[in-house]
Amino acid sequence: MSKQLVLGAFEVMAPTFLANSWRHPLAQPEGYAGMAHWQELARQLDAGGFDFLFFAEALAYPMTPEGEVPEVVVREAVQFPVHDAPLLLSGLAATVDRLGFVVTSSTTAERPYLLARKYSTLDHLTNGRVGWNIVTSDMQDALVRLLGEGAVTAHDTRYARADDFVSLCLTLWEKGWDEQAQPMDKASGVFTDPAKVHRLHHDGPFFALDGYYPIAPSPQRTPTLFQAGASVAGKNFAATYAECIFTQERDVEAAAALVRDLRDRAQERGRPRDGVKVVNGLSVVVGDTEEKARRLRRELTDAPSREAMAALFLGWSGIDLTRFDPAATLQDISTEVGQSLLRQYQDPSLTVGQVLDGLRETMGGFKVTGTPAQVADEIESIVEATDVDGFLVEFTFGGTESYRDFIADVMPLLRARGLLPAQPRRGSLREMLTGSGSPHLPGTHPGRR
């Protein structure tokens, strides 16, 4: 029997993710800033059997190194506006009692102590259903200006900072309190046993701390850890810390190689090969007929303007394609922002003009289009060929329309083939995604060691 997949829904608290898809008749961008929009989506995903709702983040927006913001960014909603997704979670957790939630927070923009408090609190409020997607942040040119940081930090230095950041967070979550530290004994007057709360000391290359962690252990202690870096530094970081790694491959052979590589790196670090789950992006368009599905895919692909896609590429890679000769290539270009993204477009036979024209089709993960049976067949084929553990289903138009046909028509077929559990998973997010029998980090994880 094939492995049973984990499924997440990929969202961002914004009108759209890929520019201009909000203009499609099926899009529902109006409610993105309010709670009701996301509550409706959470109910749909929960009832449909998804395991988690994943929020990407864009702390900044596309900007050139000189500080210029292309007008199209504001005019056509190119990752502008984007609201603060973690603030949604307590309301969504009160709306549904099974679905997990993963939110993205940046080690470049945040502080370890403050982030640890936020995620411990969310883990309490969600009863152990929260995950942290660890990023070092794209759109660095805008971010450093917004935060007053001066200059863009070198790529590998950002990952060194992230390592120190996560190490300190793990110390707070895992070492600050013993189990059963809160007797709350009215007779003795002991609410918390001082002997079971420990003063912590951290003196790392980027962060220092001396003191107590004032939040009691949450159901998972440490939120389930996600990571999405695809550079060498990013893969090493993911293999060290991540329990679930988000990839964005579009080619089956490349995806299979990446999955093997990530498992090899985890094993080299003393973790079991199945200690990391790999989920790849998946854009699904379903139709009653193949012709209808392909027509809808064309409409979706054609929605973003060339100008808007160039702005997206600028934000994600730091490279402004509009400044290049369309006949030039990106072969010798370097960046400190989106190295893995840029590498995908550095084929010496690929011109800048071809990159611009192809961005709408090449950004994101696997694109599967067809009837429900065709979609299920292709998903099964991808799983068998790549050994991925699941998918982040990318929203297409925004709102519940993005997932309606996939839930109604495709998921029953996957369930019948044994690719999804007969009944939706329950428990902590860690238990649902990793299959462990405990909400806590496994003993092989560096946070426990």
Side-chain angles (χ1 to χ4, degrees):
M1 184 180 73
S2 300
K3 69 171 69 179
Q4 291 189 338
L5 305 173
V6 295
L7 284 182
F10 180 94
E11 289 282 343
V12 62
M13 196 179 178
T16 184
F17 182 66
L18 288 179
N20 273 2
S21 62
W22 58 269
R23 298 178 63 187
H24 194 278
L26 291 177
Q28 303 165 320
E30 299 84 4
Y32 80 93
M35 182 64 75
H37 173 93
W38 300 105
Q39 286 177 310
E40 181 182 6
L41 178 61
R43 292 188 188 101
Q44 179 196 37
L45 297 172
D46 186 76
F50 271 72
D51 296 299
F52 62 99
L53 170 56
F54 177 103
F55 283 101
E57 177 62 287
L59 289 174
Y61 36 81
M63 179 186 288
T64 68
E66 296 77 26
E68 298 174 7
V69 179
E71 184 186 83
V72 68
V73 170
V74 178
R75 185 180 68 244
E76 298 185 20
V78 182
Q79 297 204 328
F80 186 101
V82 179
H83 291 203
D84 198 352
L87 299 180
L88 284 171
L89 262 58
S90 58
L92 298 183
T95 303
V96 293
D97 63 3
R98 186 196 63 81
L99 188 70
F101 304 96
V102 181
V103 284
T104 302
S105 294
S106 167
T107 58
T108 302
E110 301 264 10
R111 300 286 294 180
Y113 174 75
L114 298 178
L115 180 138
R117 291 179 74 246
K118 175 168 64 179
Y119 277 87
S120 287
T121 302
L122 287 172
D123 201 49
H124 278 293
L125 294 174
T126 61
N127 195 28
R129 291 180 286 144
V130 73
W132 172 23
N133 180 41
I134 307 165
V135 298
T136 61
S137 287
D138 54 13
M139 305 193 190
Q140 286 283 319
D141 289 306
L143 189 61
V144 296
R145 291 175 181 270
L146 295 171
L147 298 178
E149 296 288 346
V152 173
T153 305
H155 178 273
D156 287 2
T157 302
R158 291 204 302 275
Y159 273 104
R161 173 189 168 102
D163 186 272
D164 194 32
F165 191 116
V166 174
S167 178
L168 176 49
C169 287
L170 287 168
T171 298
L172 295 170
W173 289 322
E174 296 292 329
K175 305 298 183 185
W177 294 62
D178 294 342
E179 296 293 332
Q180 287 82 48
Q182 286 187 320
M184 303 184 195
D185 189 340
K186 292 183 179 180
S188 67
V190 176
F191 190 91
T192 303
D193 183 350
K196 294 185 177 182
V197 181
H198 309 293
R199 185 162 187 150
L200 304 171
H201 302 274
H202 180 91
D203 187 15
F206 295 89
F207 302 103
L209 179 139
D210 176 19
Y212 296 97
Y213 186 50
I215 298 187
S218 63
Q220 294 184 113
R221 278 191 175 258
T222 294
T224 304
L225 300 175
F226 277 65
Q227 207 272 338
S231 64
V232 172
K235 288 187 285 190
N236 286 334
F237 182 86
T240 301
Y241 293 112
E243 300 170 87
C244 198
I245 301 174
F246 173 34
T247 58
Q248 284 279 61
E249 292 294 339
R250 296 176 298 278
D251 176 79
V252 168
E253 290 185 4
L258 179 57
V259 171
R260 286 193 302 272
D261 183 29
L262 291 169
R263 299 201 200 285
D264 288 345
R265 291 173 191 266
Q267 189 173 35
E268 290 168 2
R269 287 157 176 77
R271 302 177 65 190
R273 295 184 66 80
D274 61 357
V276 293
K277 302 297 181 183
V278 182
V279 297
N280 201 84
L282 178 72
S283 173
V284 177
V285 174
V286 185
D288 296 337
T289 66
E290 182 178 358
E291 180 184 3
K292 288 181 180 178
R294 297 204 176 280
R295 182 173 67 246
L296 191 57
R297 173 66 76 185
R298 285 195 300 273
E299 292 173 0
L300 181 65
T301 301
D302 292 343
S305 66
R306 193 188 207 201
E307 185 184 10
M309 294 307 298
L312 265 182
F313 193 86
L314 168 63
W316 291 344
S317 71
I319 305 298
D320 186 356
L321 295 177
T322 64
R323 298 186 178 187
F324 289 83
D325 181 341
T329 74
L330 298 174
Q331 185 178 9
D332 298 320
I333 304 301
S334 62
T335 179
E336 289 295 346
V337 182
Q339 293 184 358
S340 56
L341 175 70
L342 178 61
R343 200 173 296 121
Q344 297 175 35
Y345 298 94
Q346 291 187 302
D347 184 329
S349 66
L350 194 63
T351 68
V352 169
Q354 290 170 326
V355 171
L356 275 169
D357 289 335
L359 281 176
R360 292 174 293 191
E361 295 183 354
T362 57
M363 281 189 173
F366 290 110
K367 290 176 173 55
V368 179
T369 307
T371 66
Q374 288 173 323
V375 168
D377 287 344
E378 190 166 351
I379 289 174
E380 186 171 18
S381 175
I382 291 170
V383 173
E384 291 176 352
T386 64
D387 195 34
V388 295
D389 298 293
F391 296 100
L392 265 179
V393 181
E394 301 165 0
F395 75 89
T396 47
F397 308 108
T400 56
E401 281 294 328
S402 292
Y403 310 98
R404 183 193 63 188
D405 293 338
F406 181 76
I407 289 173
D409 301 328
V410 178
M411 288 179 66
L413 298 180
L414 298 177
R415 203 167 282 121
R417 301 179 189 201
L419 288 165
L420 294 176
Q423 296 296 325
R425 298 178 176 94
R426 303 191 72 91
S428 69
L429 183 62
R430 178 167 287 114
E431 289 169 292
M432 286 197 288
L433 299 192
T434 69
S436 71
S438 168
H440 298 149
L441 282 172
T444 54
H445 193 278
R448 290 290 297 277
R449 292 191 232 130

